Amino acid sequence: MGPIILSSTEDATNSDILQGTRLQTVPAGGVLTFELQSTANNTNANIAVSVQMPNGDTPLNSVRVPSSNPSLAGVIDERQNLTVSFPIMQGGHCVFSAVETGAATLSWRVTYTPA
């Protein structure tokens, strides 16, 4: 089995981004890598994300996502984005959520790499 790569944008709060995707249930043990970027990160407009692992751990809990050029919605700039990786076991459901404040768009990519 090879990697699974998902990506999209979120223009509103979403409590379970991976629900209904190929990563709703992890097919085998491996690593999940999250690459995140917002169009805004200030008091009036930002995106905060949380990740809850299948065992209940929350390695990201309402973490504000760094911003890039707002005219580049959908672009993830590796010089400015937030990238984190977490080990995950087979069969678990990782809850990845985003809360929007004001007008901001989240660009995200999640990569599953089997162990």
Side-chain angles (χ1 to χ4, degrees), residues 36 38 41 46-51 58-66 82 84 86 96-99 106:
L36 312 167
S38 175
N41 184 13
N46 61 72
I47 298 282
V49 296
S50 296
V51 172
T58 53
L60 291 180
N61 190 11
S62 297
V63 174
R64 286 203 0 204
V65 177
L82 171 63
V84 292
F86 307 112
F96 169 39
S97 61
V99 175
L106 171 67

Side-chain angles (χ1 to χ4, degrees), residues 49-108:
V49 296
S50 296
V51 172
Q52 182 177 9
M53 303 307 286
N55 66 358
D57 288 349
T58 53
L60 291 180
N61 190 11
S62 297
V63 174
R64 286 203 0 204
V65 177
S67 64
S68 66
N69 184 332
S71 66
L72 298 175
V75 173
I76 298 175
D77 183 343
E78 67 183 23
R79 298 168 303 168
Q80 300 174 322
N81 72 328
L82 171 63
T83 299
V84 292
S85 297
F86 307 112
I88 191 162
M89 300 304 293
Q90 178 178 4
H93 176 65
C94 178
V95 178
F96 169 39
S97 61
V99 175
E100 176 191 27
T101 299
T105 299
L106 171 67
S107 301
W108 62 268

Side-chain angles (χ1 to χ4, degrees), residues 5-12 14 17-18 21 35-38 72-76 96 98 105-111:
I5 302 169
L6 305 175
S7 66
S8 190
T9 59
E10 303 295 323
D11 293 324
N14 187 333
I17 294 170
L18 298 179
T21 71
E35 297 171 82
L36 312 167
Q37 190 120 39
S38 175
L72 298 175
V75 173
I76 298 175
F96 169 39
T105 299
L106 171 67
S107 301
W108 62 268
R109 180 171 38 242
V110 176
T111 303

